[in-house]
Every structure is written in C-alpha cells, then in structure tokens.
Amino acid sequence: MAAAPIYLDHQASTPCDPAVVAAMAPWWTERAANPSSRGHRPGLDAAAAVEAARGRLAAALAVPAEGVVFTSGATEADNLAIKGLAEARLDRGRHLITVATEHRAVLDPCRYLERLGFALTVLPVQPDGLLDLDRLAAALRPDTVLVSVMAANNEIGVLQPLAAIGALCGRHGVAFHCDGAQLVGHGPLRPLELGIDLLSLSGHKFGGPQGIGALVLAPGVTVAPQLHGGGQEGGRRSGTPPLPLIVGLAEALDRALADAPSRGVRLLALRERLRVGLEALGGVSLNGALTPRLAHNLNVTVAGVEGGALHRQLRRWLAVSGGSACSSGEPSHVLQALGRSRHEAAASVRFGLGRDTSEADIDGALAVVSRLLQDLR
Ligand SMILES: Cc1ncc(COP(=O)(O)O)c(C=O)c1O
C-alpha cells in the first residue's frame, strides 16, 4: 500500500482533537436525548449540556451567551448573518459591502441578495491581500446596512485590520459581519472589542467536529431566521441542536485557545522553514503579506510549471490544496484578486500546517516539491 500523503491541508479541515471526541462520546450514546424534550430528565440534561457549551463558547469569545446561535458551520453562519441581517434591516437600506477575497460562503449570499435587488459593492484588495481602509470608507453610503470582511483569509492567511473596520462601521451605524472561520481558535478574537456585530465560526477549523459552528451576535443585533421550524436557538435557527457536536465545539475551542500561543510559535518556525526552503528552489513566490498573517499558512506560486500537472503530481505525496476546498477546481479567485493571472493562480499551492505537523513533515514536503520541480521544469 502506498504511504499516506503528508497532510498539510489543515485550513480545509483539521483533525478532531481526541480529547474532544472523548468529551462528545457519551452524548452520542448513553446520554443521547433531544435538548428540546423538556418533559424528562435526559432531555433536561441535554438542554443543560447545550447551555453549558453555549456559556463556554461565550466566555471564550467574551460575549453574552444569548448572542451565540449554533449553526451547522461557517457557511450557514455566513448565510444567516448576511441574509438575516439584510432582511432584518430592510427598512434602513439595501446596500452591502464585501471584499473580493472573501470565501464563497460570504460572496455567494451577497450575490444572491444582489439578484433580489440589493446593491452590492465588492471591494478590491491591495496586492498583499489587505483591504485599503480609505476605499472602504469611500464605499459607505447612507443606505449601507452591512459590511462583511473576514478575519483571516482561508487561502493566503492574511489578517484584515478588524479593529479599524469595526470602528469605521460603528461611526456610520453599519453592521460589521466578520467571517472568523480561519482565526477563531488560533488567536484571541474578542468580537465586541473589535466592533464586530456578527461573527461566524466553524468547529472543524480548530480541532472540533465537522458540521458545527456558530454565529455570534453582539447585544442588540438581530437577524431574520433563514431556517423556519421548531423555533430553536431563540427562534433564530430552527432544527434540533446537535448535542454531541455542540459539546465538542465548546471543548475544542477551549482546548485550541489554551495552547494557541505555543502552537503559534511552533508552527511559525515550521512555516518559515518551509517558506525559506521553497524560495531557495527558485521561481517560487509568496502570495499575500508575510505579516500580518496566520502562523500556520503558506501560499506560493510556482513559475515555469502548469498548474494541473503540478497538482496531479503533488497529490501523490502531499495533501495540499490549490485554493479553497470549496471552490470546485477553478483557479483561485483570491489569488486573481491579488493580481495573479489564471495560469499563475492555477500553479499555486496552499500549505496549511496543524497541531500535529512535524519538522519531518516539512522536510518531506520540501523534498517532494524540489523533486517535482526538477521533473516538471
Ligand atoms: C473563511 C471560511 N469561511 C467559511 C468556510 C466554510 O466553513 P464550513 O465548512 O464550516 O461551512 C470556510 C471553510 O473552508 C472558510 O475557510
């Protein structure tokens, strides 16, 4: 059997922490119950476990627990934030602002609303991937109801200036939504201190299970529900709350944040080892600003090779990606927004390091890329 590829796609999904799996275990089996079944003891225990998890998540993010709405992940949280906020503020205006490098879970709901008659401004980014605040300020209009800017980019890892964006939105009375899927669990992110009104997050990006996330709302911010039914989550998101996943989400966030500083230092050193090693091969150039950037992300364009051939060869040895896991094979819209051609975007590689990444993984990846470049060029 062929050896398993070296897994360097932790930004697409990182393995569930075994301690999180253990914390979830009883809630799948002997303690399983519907948290909405308040007529018996197991149901009441389930409801208490959901509320305890909500409290833990809220404490980790320094928000009131009432603001936490559990969702199936960041895609759903982004949809609820954007469509729900736009619908709740129909009387205030119909203009939305977002950024060209956002995840499709943000861009597509915005475009959907545009088809329904909303005005949409999609701001470009600078060549380093960062938003120009003057452009944002100039794009604000009296009828702007929402600005959506991500915390950390899923492809190039650059960190947007959230506090400045939050302050600007606050001064104009515009809601600020932030897709925090790639930053939550990896560094401190206190939405209220940054002026963020709506924050999306996703468990499987920080050692929690897939299929669970949350939308976190600042006090006083309301969204129109996008899933109608039993009225769970304070009427904001109907559907049986997935008890084991919710328990796992809270456990994972606490665990991820507890060792985030030391993990960050270790992964930064490994990421730099990888970057320096790749750049030494020649014709390999970095995408996005080196700082401010997630410690565990690297994204490079390789000159002199065809993207399809590069990735076909790479995948035999490495689990890496050419862009977002959700972008269905098209050359990355993020890299093209930085000014890369379609050809260059296709010949680009995202490396996402994670908790288990070792020096041997990095050296193995460098050896693979070095060998393939010799063959392909
Ligand atoms: C920035 C960002 N937003 C949204 C998502 C979607 O998250 P989920 O898989 O939880 O729906 C991802 C995952 O790739 C992401 O990186």
Side-chain angles (χ1 to χ4, degrees):
M1 207 171 72
I6 301 169
Y7 190 79
L8 290 172
D9 205 13
H10 289 270
Q11 286 185 271
S13 199
T14 197
C16 199
D17 183 334
V20 171
V21 176
M24 290 191 291
W27 302 102
W28 297 108
T29 51
E30 68 262 29
R31 305 199 70 183
N34 189 325
S36 305
S37 299
R38 306 293 169 101
H40 50 66
R41 181 63 189 271
L44 289 172
D45 287 351
V50 168
E51 292 319 310
R54 197 187 310 279
R56 286 174 78 181
L57 205 79
L61 298 167
V63 295
E66 311 80 72
V68 175
V69 182
F70 291 115
T71 65
S72 60
T75 300
E76 187 191 332
D78 288 343
N79 272 267
L80 177 57
I82 294 165
K83 295 189 239 174
L85 190 287
E87 196 180 328
R89 297 197 178 177
L90 274 177
D91 55 334
R92 299 209 213 163
R94 294 181 180 224
H95 177 232
L96 315 167
I97 301 176
T98 189
V99 182
T101 49
E102 292 293 311
H103 193 276
R104 285 191 53 191
V106 165
L107 288 172
D108 285 9
C110 288
R111 291 186 186 122
Y112 169 80
L113 290 173
E114 188 181 29
R115 288 197 295 280
L116 295 187
F118 281 77
L120 173 65
T121 301
V122 180
L123 294 171
V125 289
Q126 303 172 113
D128 61 3
L130 294 172
L131 178 62
D132 177 346
L133 288 168
D134 292 338
R135 271 189 183 266
L136 174 59
L140 289 166
R141 309 189 331 199
D143 62 339
T144 307
V145 286
L146 180 71
V147 167
S148 183
V149 183
M150 71 202 324
N153 189 274
N154 48 303
E155 295 189 34
I156 55 175
V158 300
L159 305 173
Q160 297 292 359
L162 301 181
I165 298 168
L168 186 62
C169 290
R171 281 199 299 281
H172 287 80
V174 173
F176 175 24
H177 167 242
C178 177
D179 179 339
Q182 294 288 343
L183 184 59
V184 171
H186 298 282
L189 207 182
R190 297 212 161 91
L192 301 186
E193 292 172 13
L194 297 168
I196 296 171
D197 296 301
L198 311 99
L199 175 74
S200 304
L201 60 95
S202 176
H204 71 109
K205 307 294 186 183
F206 54 79
Q210 295 183 343
I212 186 71
L215 177 65
V216 177
L217 301 171
V221 175
T222 53
V223 287
Q226 302 300 305
L227 289 180
H228 301 94
Q232 290 91 343
E233 297 295 290
R236 295 170 296 189
R237 197 276 187 182
S238 287
T240 300
L243 168 63
L245 300 180
I246 289 172
V247 170
L249 181 73
E251 182 74 22
L253 185 55
D254 280 347
R255 287 182 170 273
L257 286 176
D259 69 359
S262 57
R263 198 172 68 245
V265 170
R266 196 178 74 80
L267 295 183
L268 182 64
L270 290 179
R271 194 278 309 277
E272 284 301 283
R273 185 180 180 92
L274 180 61
R275 182 179 67 81
V276 171
L278 289 173
E279 287 179 353
L281 299 176
V284 175
S285 52
L286 179 70
N287 290 313
L290 188 54
T291 52
R293 184 186 192 107
L294 291 173
H296 55 284
N297 168 277
L298 187 68
N299 190 312
V300 295
T301 295
V302 182
V305 299
E306 192 265 312
L310 174 67
H311 281 282
R312 269 194 304 281
Q313 292 295 326
L314 277 177
R315 75 171 66 108
R316 296 171 58 201
W317 317 100
L318 302 182
V320 290
S321 77
S324 161
C326 322
S327 65
S328 61
E330 268 293 290
S332 155
H333 70 279
V334 173
L335 299 182
Q336 291 182 73
L338 304 187
R340 293 287 189 194
S341 67
R342 279 178 70 85
H343 179 86
E344 289 170 329
S348 300
V349 187
R350 173 184 73 176
F351 298 88
L353 284 58
R355 170 179 289 110
D356 301 332
T357 304
S358 64
E359 206 168 280
D361 292 333
I362 297 300
D363 291 346
L366 280 170
V368 167
V369 178
S370 165
R371 199 169 63 234
L372 294 187
L373 290 193
Q374 279 168 23
D375 291 351
L376 290 169
R377 278 182 174 155

